[in-house]
Amino acid sequence: MMVISIGFWVQAIWALALYQSLTPVFEDLECTLVTPTVTSVSANILTNFWIDISTGTDCYNPNPYKMTMESAGPMAVYMGVSRDEVGTLEEIEKSTLPAEGRGGIDANMRIEPSSAVWASLFSSSSLSIMLGGSIAIPIYIDMEIAIDVDVNLFFGRMVIAKAFDRQCGFNMAVTLTGVKIGAMACADGWDNLVLPAVSASASADGFDATLDLQAENLASDEIEEGTKTKNAGLGAAIASGFILGTFFLSFSSFCTFMGVRAMRARSAPLADAKQTNEARDPPEKMSQKEESKEVEEADVEV
């Protein structure tokens, strides 16, 4: 009984500790955008132009449970102020963010503008490029990322599955000798997106290089439902652990008390019988040594 009681108390303490660690049920992820890098580019800068770019995010998960991130669908890539579609972001493989740890996603894209898009971009800047100058071309990405959380809460499960849409982009400088990529920025909507200059840096120029994944913007309905599941599941585990642990502890103590009382009740008649027998038995005879000593003392007196 005592072992069972201890088991329920351990359950209650574990559930209470988990409840406290899951309050609030979701803490904001801290994600930093990785500056895009060029992985390969076509040899001909004026015709049949394409460029492969790699980017991604570096995230810290402050929550006491792991979560996964992956692409929610094909993500279009646009070029120029008019945002002409010039490619797609490759499907992002599922990435795991460990509990209270770091992780991230890697994304690759190929930008391959049509001749019409290419002509519109360079119609007014081709001379500058030929003379050794450069042209800054904005690149836009419509990012759709899915976050999945599945946590076992003893008497229930907390499941959060949410896809969020963020508008991101960066500037690309094109010259006769190559391509240079600027830092990436994201916002909630194209109108709110401001692309940093190619030479800008977050530390020096103060632009926001983070990906906004706040709880209120991420999955308010799922988080609210997860909070209810946490309160119900872990609340039941805490209550049942303390109640059943106390019950079995009390029952074990009661059984121990009754057992000791029964043993004393059985041993009392035996003690009384022993005392009665000792009272009835005659005094033991003196030993031979004691008798010899008494004879010697009598002879001396005579």
Side-chain angles (χ1 to χ4, degrees), residues 13 66 114 117 134 141 167 283:
I13 295 172
K66 68 178 182 180
S114 64
V117 172
S134 64
I141 308 169
Q167 285 65 48

Side-chain angles (χ1 to χ4, degrees), residues 254-269:
F254 175 76
C255 291
T256 302
F257 171 76
M258 294 302 294
V260 171
R261 185 176 180 181
M263 290 178 61
R264 288 179 177 177
R266 287 194 300 266
S267 61

Side-chain angles (χ1 to χ4, degrees), residues 293-302:
K293 185 177 181 181
E294 288 186 355
V295 171
E296 291 177 357
E297 289 177 352
D299 292 341
V300 170
E301 290 178 356
V302 172

